[in-house]
Amino acid sequence: MRAGSAPAGALRDGGSAVGAVIATTRVLNRGPVRRALQLMMREIELGSEKRPLMEWALMRLAGARRCPLAAHFVYPLFRAVMRLASAWFHADEESIVALLSDPPVRRGIVTALRGVALFGVTTPQRLPAPFFVVWNFTNACNLRCAHCYQNAGAPLRNELSLGEKLRVVRELDETGVAAIALSGGEPTIHDDFWPVLAEINRRGLYSAVATNGIAFASMEFALRARKAGLRYVEISVDAASPEVHDKFRGVRGAWLKAIRGLENAVRAGLNAALAFTVTRQNVHEADKVLDLAQEIGVRRVVFFNFVPVGRARQNAQLDLSPEEREEFLRHIYVEMRRRKIEIISTAPQYGRVVNQLSGGGDVSPTHFVVASDPVTRELTEFIGGCGAGRVYVAVEPEGTVTPCVFLPRPVGNLRAERFWDVWMHPFFENFRDRDRLKGFCGRCPYKLLCGGCRARAYGYFGDILAPDPGCIYNADAWQEAVKTLAGLRAAARAG
């Protein structure tokens, strides 16, 4: 399986609130205001809960009564600020209160403001915690997909125990992470799936799952997941025809169960998305898949970049050329404008394509959403482009932290280190400082909107700062990557 967009899409509804926060950063970055923010980030404990004063105050603003005395004290000030913000952004005050009633949205706002308090305003914005974590819950899987980044199959011998997993959830919560997406392997077949899902939701984090959909082919499973608090499910479908999908997935009948899983997720009231990894083998199926998604009633379709990692490294000939990718990205933007469905891509070049085709009217920050409102346009400057190591990270089954599920470069391990210490590792600065990028990516006028896929740079060249060979502006890098493709094919044949 793969993930990366699940929590981002799930948190889209709170994006306007987070965007409004960052859109006011020119005020927030002033000395006195920033010092006030730092004071508001002091942690205050009430019972067994320890939260920043800012978060307690936002809870009070959303109607909570059980708050520390300090939160009640600053509440009038927060209410006045909210009214000013509502007027400034022409937003409905009741809508803002409704957003603040959602714990992950509050967490996202606090994380954004804490980033300003700690680091000041930066582009891209440095954050004290990722907005979301994609957790490769287990290496076990009931399929054998040709493009699997994890090379999943059998579980690893040293996967985290249930006790360790629950501790990881606690650490992510305490650090300020807003959402967790369980991926794999196939997370739904592991015994720990249900107790960990329960703990994620008990702590008020947004829960998501990226899955092959087989478990959700059972309506009983879908309803149980909804009852357990699951809010977002992303199911992979690689084609509109069973033959193409099943060949890709290595198991006959996989397509039918994935489709049933999507149908059941929609009926169960889950926020459901269809995920599609674009390759030369199935790119012609894209429009048919969009038709299928609309028929089922899912809210969004996520087109994933192909990255030569894991089992996909042995099938790198499936990758699109820069010209093919550009044509595809332009096509899906046009399709999104005419269809009543969200269509996004994890290819960071999509941000540039959307900007160019719309004449700057629309933006696509990371792979959250395509929108035209001024708040989202402002937000793009601060969190746009490849989100690896900036707005999200990945956790491997045995606790290793990597910048992205498609970028298997270990940065630390949660068995031995605190999540905060790993997140603050100097290696992550390579993702947070776009001036370090090499080749045309480093001087591209769209580097804050895009920045290139760092996983593809690493997959082809072993260098996270190298140019992304998937972009039409990196023709030389693509020619070099073609040679790499030939070497990979020769190695696969020899092996």
Side-chain angles (χ1 to χ4, degrees):
M1 264 310 300
R2 73 269 188 184
S5 73
L11 287 171
R12 181 191 60 80
D13 292 340
S16 59
V18 176
V21 168
I22 297 181
T24 60
T25 48
R26 288 166 181 79
V27 175
L28 298 174
N29 205 36
R30 293 173 183 167
V33 179
R34 188 177 167 194
R35 285 192 290 272
L37 278 178
Q38 291 168 346
L39 289 174
M40 293 300 298
M41 294 305 158
R42 289 185 303 129
E43 290 195 333
I44 297 180
E45 192 168 357
L46 180 64
S48 60
E49 293 183 85
K50 182 184 290 186
R51 304 177 186 275
L53 175 58
M54 170 75 72
E55 189 169 352
W56 286 116
L58 292 178
M59 291 173 63
R60 176 67 185 89
L61 195 61
R65 296 292 178 181
R66 183 180 175 275
C67 295
L69 182 61
H72 291 284
F73 180 75
V74 299
Y75 164 73
L77 174 63
F78 270 68
R79 187 158 186 85
V81 170
M82 184 187 73
R83 286 174 174 166
L84 286 173
S86 300
W88 180 265
F89 292 107
H90 305 289
D92 178 44
E93 188 175 327
E94 291 184 4
S95 298
I96 294 178
V97 171
L99 283 174
L100 293 177
S101 298
D102 193 353
V105 172
R106 287 199 304 268
R107 184 74 60 91
I109 293 172
V110 172
T111 296
L113 286 171
R114 192 167 162 230
V116 175
L118 288 174
F119 310 115
V121 176
T122 62
T123 50
Q125 181 61 48
R126 286 176 170 81
L127 298 170
F131 285 134
F132 65 97
V133 169
V134 181
W135 188 349
N136 289 333
F137 201 63
T138 178
N139 201 61
C141 191
N142 46 7
L143 296 181
R144 190 163 180 81
C145 308
H147 55 319
C148 179
Y149 64 74
Q150 194 72 8
N151 203 13
L156 304 179
R157 295 180 182 178
N158 60 340
E159 292 185 0
L160 297 175
S161 67
L162 176 58
E164 289 174 318
K165 289 171 181 166
L166 296 177
R167 179 180 56 78
V168 167
V169 175
R170 186 189 74 227
E171 281 196 21
L172 297 179
D173 174 24
E174 292 174 349
T175 306
V177 172
I180 298 176
L182 303 179
S183 187
E186 177 51 45
T188 62
I189 66 175
H190 199 284
D191 290 343
D192 294 344
F193 174 75
W194 294 111
V196 171
L197 177 62
E199 180 67 4
I200 291 171
N201 290 299
R202 186 186 73 80
R203 289 182 171 272
L205 282 75
Y206 201 112
S207 58
V209 63
T211 170
N212 57 37
I214 291 178
F216 284 86
S218 163
M219 189 63 184
E220 181 182 357
F221 186 97
L223 290 172
R224 182 183 178 188
R226 172 66 188 274
K227 187 176 181 180
L230 184 68
R231 296 178 63 174
Y232 182 93
V233 57
E234 190 173 271
I235 295 177
S236 298
V237 176
D238 295 309
S241 61
E243 296 78 16
V244 176
H245 177 93
D246 290 356
K247 182 179 179 181
F248 231 53
R249 296 279 158 177
V251 174
R252 185 174 297 177
W255 183 88
L256 182 59
K257 290 183 178 179
I259 297 304
R260 285 178 179 169
L262 276 170
E263 292 170 342
N264 287 342
V266 171
R267 292 192 192 106
L270 290 163
N271 186 353
L274 185 155
F276 180 100
T277 297
V278 186
T279 70
R280 288 184 171 178
Q281 196 172 49
N282 67 356
V283 65
H284 63 281
E285 292 268 334
D287 285 351
K288 295 177 183 177
V289 166
L290 289 172
D291 293 338
L292 179 63
Q294 287 186 288
E295 291 173 13
I296 294 171
V298 301
R299 295 187 183 182
R300 66 197 333 240
V301 174
V302 185
F303 287 105
F304 274 79
N305 231 358
F306 178 91
V307 181
V309 63
R311 198 174 298 134
R313 193 165 178 80
Q314 303 168 17
N315 297 282
Q317 71 280 1
L318 297 174
D319 199 4
L320 302 181
S321 71
E323 293 78 15
E324 290 168 332
R325 179 172 285 100
E326 185 78 5
E327 180 182 355
F328 176 77
L329 293 177
R330 287 173 171 266
H331 176 72
I332 62 172
Y333 173 69
V334 172
E335 287 298 302
M336 190 211 66
R337 294 298 301 266
R338 77 177 189 87
R339 294 175 184 258
K340 294 182 178 180
I341 190 171
E342 291 181 27
I343 303 174
I344 56 176
S345 172
T346 64
Q349 291 84 12
Y350 193 52
R352 169 184 56 77
V353 168
V354 167
N355 182 273
Q356 290 175 331
L357 291 186
S358 67
D362 287 343
V363 292
S364 180
T366 63
H367 39 272
F368 284 16
V369 67
V370 176
S372 58
D373 61 279
V375 169
T376 307
R377 284 201 297 271
E378 185 79 16
L379 178 67
T380 303
E381 179 182 350
F382 294 94
I383 66 168
C386 177
R390 299 189 309 108
V391 298
Y392 86 96
V393 294
V395 177
E396 293 297 309
E398 84 293 349
T400 297
V401 178
T402 68
C404 169
V405 293
F406 297 105
L407 207 167
R409 200 285 192 184
V411 183
N413 189 287
L414 299 183
R415 271 197 168 117
E417 302 165 84
R418 297 184 309 159
F419 182 78
W420 166 262
D421 294 332
V422 177
W423 177 250
M424 296 304 294
H425 193 285
F427 179 74
F428 279 129
E429 286 303 308
N430 290 309
F431 301 89
R432 299 163 189 172
D433 182 0
R434 294 274 167 84
D435 290 335
R436 297 188 184 190
L437 296 177
K438 300 175 182 177
F440 188 77
C441 282
R443 58 182 185 274
C444 179
Y446 295 99
K447 69 180 180 181
L448 291 179
L449 294 179
C450 172
C453 176
R454 297 300 96 213
R456 287 175 53 80
Y458 187 79
Y460 279 112
F461 305 123
D463 182 357
I464 61 168
L465 298 175
D468 176 0
C471 178
I472 57 169
Y473 298 145
N474 288 325
D476 293 344
W478 173 247
Q479 292 306 315
E480 187 177 345
V482 169
K483 297 177 183 177
T484 303
L485 286 175
L488 292 174
R489 287 196 293 268
R493 287 194 297 268

